[in-house]
Amino acid sequence: ISLCKYQDLWIKYRNTCETLKKELYLFRTQSGCYTNCKTSETIFISNCENIISSENDYWLDVYKDCSSSTSS
């Protein structure tokens, strides 16, 4: 099971989930970078896309490592 880093993937997934929740709470309460901002929706979407993209990149790297280690 540890060959493909399933535990690491789960931890990264949960971290991403909690980060997205935090971003949503900040957006809904107009806190943090969303305070007094006319473009808060655009910033929110951009921040969420960056968070998700980061996780996707991580999963792809792990998948590549897993594929190369199992094919050897």
Side-chain angles (χ1 to χ4, degrees), residues 27-45:
F27 175 72
R28 285 184 175 171
T29 60
Q30 295 296 297
S31 304
C33 64
Y34 305 108
T35 305
N36 299 325
C37 184
K38 294 179 182 179
T39 59
S40 61
E41 190 172 298
T42 303
I43 294 170
F44 173 69
I45 291 168

Side-chain angles (χ1 to χ4, degrees), residues 8-70:
D8 293 342
L9 289 172
W10 177 252
I11 291 169
K12 178 67 174 162
Y13 166 78
R14 290 304 310 152
N15 184 47
T16 300
C17 181
E18 294 303 317
T19 303
L20 287 169
K21 278 190 208 178
K22 176 186 153 206
E23 206 64 38
L24 179 61
Y25 295 142
L26 289 172
F27 175 72
R28 285 184 175 171
T29 60
Q30 295 296 297
S31 304
C33 64
Y34 305 108
T35 305
N36 299 325
C37 184
K38 294 179 182 179
T39 59
S40 61
E41 190 172 298
T42 303
I43 294 170
F44 173 69
I45 291 168
S46 177
N47 288 346
C48 289
E49 286 177 345
N50 288 335
I51 293 165
I52 293 168
S53 177
S54 172
E55 182 185 4
N56 288 342
D57 292 342
Y58 180 80
W59 278 66
L60 183 60
D61 290 342
V62 169
Y63 176 75
K64 287 178 183 177
D65 289 346
C66 181
S67 294
S68 64
S69 68
T70 57

